[in-house]
Amino acid sequence: MSPLLVKARPGSTIVEVTPESAGWTYVGFAAHRLAAGEHISLETGSRELCIVVLTGTVTVQAGGQTWEHIGNRQSVFEDCSPYAVYVPLDTKVSITALSAAEVALCSAPATTHRPARLIEPASMTRSVRGKGANTRYVCDILPQTQEADGLLVVEVVTPSGHSSSYPPHKHDSDNIPLESSLEETYYHRLNPEQGFAFQRVYTDDRSIDEAMAVENHDVVMVPRGYHPVTVPYGYDGYYLNVMAGPQRVWHFKNDPAHEWLMTK
């Protein structure tokens, strides 16, 4: 199995990636499934956190504030944006499920004390990217235009038979404004759930060249390199991206061998 692939597991913690387990510096990610009445408690420590309510309804307490009954989706494939909560460093957090729920915990190092805040679906920018069999649907949950120290969070739905993160692009060089250096995780969901997708991660010199079959709830780690995704016919793909690096800005470089596809 590829060292970049983290397989889903049963139980409350579906998958977890830490800087230590990934062998990198910035991005942390975990996804949890909760039954009604179950809760998660944690402290952010030296990291900031973006809680994304993927499905179900929860109550979140953080920084002396409480947001009750947040969450509006039964499936990540519904045509609507999620609820999310931004939590700064050094903050106690409690998440209680009011129904069966799935939540994502996205984190990165932080130094700024700012208020915890609710990120409502209406505040998120939704867009269509690509064309033809490269069309996908993007929702910016925590973009660089919104306050945070390092975190960037976005979700993407890729229709059946389409490709995404394509033409292949990378963001592993600190060469702003041409390219920024960002670690990234892809949390994959498939509809129907028994489906699979393919993701390749490769560098120009092929020091990394991994091709992975990803199943529902799997995570792909992208420490560097290009990272396209393809979803076979009959299944829709979803992924939640978490990015962070030395600077909070997203500039990417397409693979020169495939940039001609931008002209089609």
Side-chain angles (χ1 to χ4, degrees), residues 36-37 51 53-61 65-74 81-85 94-101 103 118-121:
I51 303 165
V53 185
L54 297 171
T55 61
T57 304
V58 303
T59 291
V60 176
Q61 296 177 302
Q65 301 187 72
T66 300
W67 296 279
E68 297 182 340
H69 293 88
I70 62 172
N72 59 341
R73 305 192 299 196
Q74 296 305 306
S81 304
Y83 276 84
V85 175
S94 175
I95 306 167
T96 302
L98 305 179
S99 68
V103 296
L118 179 66
I119 307 173
E120 299 193 58

Side-chain angles (χ1 to χ4, degrees), residues 167-181:
H169 70 265
K170 71 181 184 77
H171 37 73
D172 58 17
S173 176
D174 192 7
N175 187 27
I176 295 170
L178 299 179
E179 185 179 353
S180 54
S181 179

